[in-house]
Amino acid sequence: MLELRGATYRYAGYARPAIHDVDLRLADGEILGLMGANEAGKSTICLVASGLAPASIGGGLTGTLTIDAEPMAGRPVHELAARVAVGFQDPATQRSGIAATVFEEVALGPMNLGLPATETIARAREALTLLRIGDLADRDPSRLSGGQGQLVAIASLLAMRPRHIVLDEPTAQLDPEGTRLVADALRSLAATGTALLVAEHKTDLLDELCDRVAVVSEGRIVADGPTAAILGDGRLEAWGVEPPSRVRLARALAARGLDPAAAGVGA
Ligand SMILES: Nc1ncnc2c1ncn2[C@@H]1O[C@H](COP(=O)(O)OP(=O)(O)O)[C@@H](O)[C@H]1O
Ligand SMILES: [Mg+2]
C-alpha cells in the first residue's frame, strides 16, 4: 500500500508548488492510471510518490508519503528505492552505463539487492522472457532502439520484484506491439500483489490496464475513480485528456442517432 496525503510539492528554487494537496491511495495489486495534459503535474506526482522528491532532488514537500503503513519522511534514498521502483520516460537516463550486455543490465538490480547469483540470473531471465526480449540478452545496452531500451528498462525494474512500481509514461517510445507486451507484463505483476502507478497519455492502454484512474489538472487531482466512469466523463477533454477510442466511437454513433450498445460499443 502506498499513499500520498495532502502532498504539496515545490521544486528547489521555485516559489510556486507544482502539485497541490494531492491525495492518492494505491492498494496492493492495484494498477492506478494517472492522466492529464502536458505540464499538469503527472511526472511530479511520480517523483513525490516514489520519494525521489524531495529525498533525491530536493525541493519542499508538505503532506505525507506512507508506504506499507510507514511514513517515508526523512528516509534515505536507498531505503526508498528498496520499497518503490521508478521508471521514467527516457530509458537512456536509467541505464547503468556499466553493463556490457542487456542481460547484465537487467541482472544489476537483483544483484544490488544482495541476492545470490543463481537467484539473480533466474530473475533476469524471467524478466527478459516476460517482455519477450530474450533475444536482446547479449546486445550492448547502449546500442538499442528507443523501444528496445524502454523494454530493457522495464525488465530491469521487474527483475527487482518491487512491491510498488511507479512508471512515468512507460510506453512513450513503444509501438502497439511493445505497448501490448508492457501491458501484459504489468498485469501479471499486479496479479502477484505489486501496486502500480502508471502515468500515461495513451488512454486506450489505461482503459484496458487500470482498475482505477485519476486525472491531474494544474497540479491538482480533479477526478479519481473506476476507470470506466472517469474515461466516460464529459469533462475529460476540458482537462486536456483525449477519451479512449471506445468512448469516442460510442459518442460518434450516438451523434448519428445510433445506439452504441446495439452496435456492440459500450460507452
Ligand atoms: N525539474 C523541474 N523544476 C522546476 N519545475 C518543474 C520541473 N519539472 C516540472 N516542473 C514544472 O512542474 C509542473 C508540472 O510538470 P510535470 O510534473 O512535468 O507535468 P506532466 O508530467 O504532467 O507533463 C509544470 O509547471 C512544470 O513546468
Ligand atoms: Mg511528464
Side-chain angles (χ1 to χ4, degrees):
M1 196 273 292
L2 186 154
E3 189 171 29
L4 282 178
R5 274 219 178 171
T8 296
Y9 175 77
R10 250 182 332 91
Y11 284 97
Y14 286 76
R16 263 171 50 92
I19 57 168
H20 306 264
D21 202 22
V22 168
D23 291 323
L24 272 187
R25 191 172 186 283
L26 193 56
D28 292 345
E30 184 173 46
I31 308 183
L32 171 63
L34 197 57
M35 326 184 280
N38 284 332
E39 306 269 290
K42 302 179 295 298
S43 295
T44 307
I45 290 176
C46 287
L47 287 168
V48 173
S50 63
L52 289 178
S56 175
I57 66 164
L61 173 68
T62 56
T64 56
L65 168 65
T66 308
I67 298 181
D68 293 335
E70 292 183 52
M72 291 296 118
R75 306 276 177 131
V77 174
H78 67 86
E79 192 187 322
L80 290 158
R83 291 170 182 268
V84 196
V86 205
F88 296 104
Q89 190 174 343
D90 179 5
T93 60
Q94 300 179 64
R95 249 193 347 259
S96 67
I98 59 170
T101 66
V102 164
F103 191 86
E104 281 176 36
E105 179 72 31
V106 174
L108 271 177
M111 205 171 85
N112 286 335
L113 293 178
L115 294 167
T118 47
E119 174 73 12
T120 295
I121 290 168
R123 285 194 184 193
R125 280 221 180 94
E126 185 194 68
L128 291 172
T129 306
L130 199 59
L131 293 169
R132 297 202 205 128
I133 49 171
D135 57 327
L136 297 180
D138 297 327
R139 295 275 297 276
D140 176 346
S142 68
R143 291 165 175 269
L144 300 172
S145 73
Q148 288 170 331
Q150 203 153 33
L151 290 171
V152 169
I154 293 169
S156 303
L157 297 182
L158 302 190
M160 311 219 321
R161 293 200 193 143
R163 300 274 306 144
H164 309 88
I165 298 189
V166 173
L167 294 170
D168 191 6
E169 305 203 21
T171 70
Q173 303 195 38
L174 296 178
D175 59 12
E177 168 68 12
T179 300
R180 177 148 306 280
L181 286 174
V182 169
D184 290 345
L186 298 185
R187 252 193 299 269
S188 52
L189 213 62
T192 68
T194 302
L196 293 128
L197 176 65
V198 184
E200 255 298 343
H201 272 298
K202 297 176 184 168
T203 40
D204 279 338
L205 172 64
L206 295 180
D207 192 19
E208 62 170 83
L209 189 61
C210 299
D211 315 297
R212 241 175 73 219
V213 292
V215 184
V216 199
S217 177
E218 296 179 355
R220 297 176 192 276
I221 303 284
V222 291
D224 180 350
T227 303
I230 303 288
L231 290 179
D233 192 305
R235 294 169 293 178
L236 217 52
E237 278 115 325
W239 291 324
V241 177
E242 184 175 26
S245 45
R246 181 174 61 83
V247 171
R248 281 181 283 136
L249 182 56
R251 285 187 193 156
L253 289 171
R256 285 166 182 72
L258 299 167
D259 178 6
V265 183

